[in-house]
Amino acid sequence: MSYWQNLQAILKTSGPKPIYTWVSDNGRIELSVVTFANAVSKASNFISDGLELDPGTRVKVALGNHWQSPVWAAAAFSTNLQLVTQESEVTFGSIENEATKSTGGAQFVVVSKDPFGMPEKQIPIGAINGSLEVRSYGDYFAPVEVMPADTEVFTNWENGYTWEQLSELAKELASSQGLNPGSRFGIFGTPDELTSLLLQVVLPVQEDHSVVLIDQVGPDFEAVTSHEKLSFIFKPHFVRRIH
């Protein structure tokens, strides 16, 4: 199954269930599977019809532990783009990390990190205001084609991974921490790119996990664990690096 097929499967069985919760110093935002799928559809339509990116285009998502990060990574998977950690043809990033524009992104799409996704009012010259543009695109998305199963959808330095390989690595990571399908876990900080992708994007649709993105300075982990009813919190120095 592709990413999009996995997302549609949990949409049918877990539509109202929270898939992402973003906890920050600015507040708390919760996205149900339905809400998330809607955001992914709009972003996917923007990528396909607005940016007109061809399948296989190398793109980077540089949005950290914000709820927008899985939205744009999921849209990249849904439109058959290739997520990369090095040189990209397009970078989806916040206005704060504009520097990524000059480190590999030929095209820079600004994604707002406002809690509610309100578009930036001023963006760098030559950049695209993604959070503004995406609003005008439809809520329904249908992939034009499903890429072959052996297509690499993520490249981490010299290593490339298919969706099936990412799915297996995600299951291994969940198993290593005793997480059962449907568990609710938290992520604090940003581990290596592959592990972040597994936690933020793959596990939620592959194993129907609910993820809490802890995007704040010095959180009280006991309080967050209790309040959000978490089974586990992944922190960079606790996560086993996967190669």
Side-chain angles (χ1 to χ4, degrees), residues 53 73 88 108 121 123 196 218 231 233 236 242:
L53 300 184
S88 63
F108 190 77
K121 295 181 179 179
I123 62 171
S196 291
S231 300
I233 294 180
I242 298 178

Side-chain angles (χ1 to χ4, degrees), residues 63-114:
L63 292 164
N65 215 26
H66 193 274
W67 64 262
Q68 291 275 14
S69 191
V71 168
W72 290 91
F77 281 147
S78 301
T79 52
N80 300 324
L81 307 182
Q82 184 181 37
L83 280 174
V84 300
T85 59
Q86 297 184 76
E87 278 198 30
S88 63
E89 297 170 65
V90 181
T91 294
F92 297 94
S94 67
I95 201 165
E96 289 85 2
N97 59 19
E98 182 188 352
T100 56
K101 180 182 178 183
S102 60
T103 58
Q107 192 172 48
F108 190 77
V109 179
V110 176
V111 178
S112 171
K113 295 183 78 173
D114 177 87

Side-chain angles (χ1 to χ4, degrees), residues 1-5 78 80 143-149 151:
M1 294 176 71
S2 65
Y3 173 85
W4 182 257
Q5 290 169 328
S78 301
N80 300 324
V144 175
E145 61 179 317
V146 177
M147 299 297 280
T151 301

